[in-house]
Amino acid sequence: MKVRVGYGYDVHQLAEGEEFWLGGIKVPHTHGAVGHSDADVLIHVICDALLGAANMRDIGFHFSDQDPKYKGIDSKILLRDVLKLIREEGYEVGNIDSTICLQQPKVNPHIPAMKECLSEVMTIPIEDISIKATTTEKLGFVGKLEGVSAHATVLIQKG
């Protein structure tokens, strides 16, 4: 069996009046992430980690922010497409470990719904998805409520 590990990191600016999509669900908040797609930072890092593990470049390579067909796209569609790409190469997801860095709103109450949504989108068991959340203790762009960042590590396996 071939086992590979991938890592993803992403950042999005927060702006008042934008919808806030995180882990495939809409999180109620006064501010939301800004991006070409729906700016779901958690799904974006998972996509990047999966693509990296399979040595298939990154999310921007496959879904350019210069392409108008991806303007406002639901990131769950991108995640399904990434899974199709890695599965065509014979890989399956082993597990995902992720961390969302966000000062406000509190993420912990939304984690069960995020895990359920991602499990359905990726067709993997919910117990194979770990989502953690942290603040940056009011330091940096996250602490100053200017943005959100996320990290993900994934394990994929073949045969």
Side-chain angles (χ1 to χ4, degrees):
M1 173 184 296
K2 185 171 192 162
V3 176
R4 298 185 73 153
V5 175
Y7 171 77
Y9 172 73
D10 195 19
V11 171
H12 282 279
Q13 180 182 7
L14 293 176
E16 191 171 358
E18 296 285 334
E19 291 184 344
F20 195 19
W21 289 93
L22 200 53
I25 67 164
K26 188 176 176 182
V27 175
H29 192 51
T30 58
H31 290 66
V34 177
H36 185 71
S37 66
D38 65 5
D40 188 324
V41 70
L42 181 58
I43 288 182
H44 293 178
V45 297
I46 292 169
C47 288
D48 265 350
L50 289 167
L51 290 166
N55 195 18
M56 298 178 77
R57 310 262 322 241
D58 61 28
I59 192 171
F61 177 79
H62 293 277
F63 314 104
S64 172
D65 63 2
Q66 302 302 305
D67 190 332
K69 76 179 176 184
Y70 299 119
K71 179 70 176 154
I73 194 167
D74 182 336
S75 291
K76 293 185 291 292
I77 295 168
L78 304 179
L79 181 55
R80 281 188 189 104
D81 288 350
V82 165
L83 284 160
K84 182 178 177 194
L85 288 169
I86 70 163
R87 286 175 173 152
E88 285 172 354
E89 295 298 316
Y91 290 105
E92 282 298 328
V93 177
N95 73 301
I96 296 166
D97 183 28
S98 62
T99 303
I100 301 164
C101 305
L102 184 65
Q103 199 67 40
Q104 293 176 9
K106 294 296 181 192
V107 174
N108 279 322
H110 305 287
I111 289 176
M114 289 182 212
K115 289 177 66 167
E116 186 175 322
C117 176
L118 293 172
S119 172
E120 287 178 22
V121 170
M122 295 188 290
T123 63
I124 65 172
I126 202 165
E127 61 266 15
D128 291 340
I129 302 168
S130 167
I131 301 172
K132 303 176 303 296
T134 188
T135 67
T136 59
E137 303 297 331
K138 299 185 180 174
L139 298 174
F141 68 89
V142 170
K144 293 176 185 170
L145 310 176
E146 297 170 345
V148 57
S149 67
H151 304 261
T153 304
V154 302
L155 179 123
I156 61 173
Q157 51 206 9
K158 183 191 282 194

